[in-house]
Amino acid sequence: METIGTMSKIIHLAQLGEADRQLLETARNASSHAYAPYSGFAVGAAVRTKSGRVYLGSNLENAAYGVVMCAEVGAVTAANTSGDLEIVTIAVVGHKFTSPQDHSQIVTPCGRCRQIISEAGEVAKTDIRVLSSNGDFSRILDSTILEMLPAAFGPGNLGMVEQWPKMRKELQTVVANLKAAHFPE
Ligand code: THU
């Protein structure tokens, strides 16, 4: 068994269950929608939530290089936008598609993405599984967000661990009240 650093393991596709294999496939499909004219590097991400639903993201670059959005941010945002942020697994697949093409390197979430995945894990009260792969699935890193970002800064540092479910309900009530005010039934 190969290791990266002190943690995690490199596994074969066949070691994964059907749902996780599909999640990787879905992430790679999402990489075909990358907007990556500057790097020529396409990344796709797919998250599966407790509900079993899957949400996708692909990287979105910009002529102002610094404002690039990673694939993982897109996928987590898509789940959040559907009110389904309780992520249990994220799959990330990347490859350089311009000449010379290269699909040999495992793509792990960048530091900012780890921070975002870490907070989603706090919301879900789950150590999110992170499957990071190269383009042809010959090298897959099977890890978790706690392994990838130990000692993370999070809602606990702001004393906010228990508040969110109650606040979320309030938010939904406020929006429902706003709607009722404009469209009384
Ligand atoms: N990228 C991602 O989308 N996710 C990662 O985890 C690593 C990097 C994107 C950002 C940029 O568009 C391209 O890959 C090269 O860095």
Side-chain angles (χ1 to χ4, degrees):
M1 187 176 75
E2 189 184 345
T3 57
I4 288 189
T6 55
M7 49 91 186
S8 311
K9 52 186 187 289
I10 305 290
I11 57 164
H12 295 292
L13 194 61
Q15 291 172 261
L16 291 171
E18 176 62 22
D20 290 332
R21 285 203 298 269
Q22 266 180 25
L23 201 68
L24 278 165
E25 190 68 58
T26 305
R28 185 168 61 187
N29 289 343
S31 79
S32 71
H33 300 303
Y35 174 68
Y38 306 107
S39 68
F41 196 80
V43 184
V47 300
R48 191 174 59 246
T49 63
K50 282 183 184 168
S51 72
R53 281 191 279 273
V54 170
Y55 303 88
L56 308 181
S58 54
N59 53 331
L60 177 76
E61 298 186 345
N62 192 282
Y65 292 174
V67 299
V68 60
M69 301 299 288
C70 287
E72 298 90 320
V73 176
V76 173
T77 301
N80 182 50
T81 305
S82 292
D84 195 14
L85 190 55
E86 297 201 320
I87 294 165
V88 289
T89 307
I90 179 166
V92 185
V93 183
H95 50 99
K96 185 173 170 289
F97 63 92
T98 49
S99 186
Q101 295 174 5
D102 183 3
H103 54 250
S104 63
Q105 299 299 316
I106 291 174
V107 176
T108 51
C110 77
R112 180 172 184 266
C113 288
R114 291 178 197 203
Q115 184 69 26
I116 286 167
I117 296 164
S118 173
E119 181 111 4
E122 293 278 355
V123 170
K125 299 191 187 305
T126 300
D127 184 13
I128 295 174
R129 189 177 190 189
V130 184
L131 298 170
S132 311
S133 183
N134 66 352
D136 65 5
F137 301 152
S138 58
R139 301 186 73 227
I140 300 165
L141 178 69
D142 184 6
S143 186
T144 74
I145 194 59
L146 281 175
E147 287 177 321
M148 288 192 150
L149 188 66
F153 182 83
N157 294 90
L158 302 178
M160 293 299 289
V161 174
E162 302 305 331
Q163 270 88 335
W164 180 241
K166 189 166 163 278
M167 287 175 73
R168 186 168 184 259
K169 278 211 179 74
E170 282 167 4
L171 168 62
Q172 284 161 1
T173 304
V174 167
V175 173
N177 289 344
L178 283 168
K179 189 180 162 198
H182 285 281
F183 302 103
E185 282 164 24

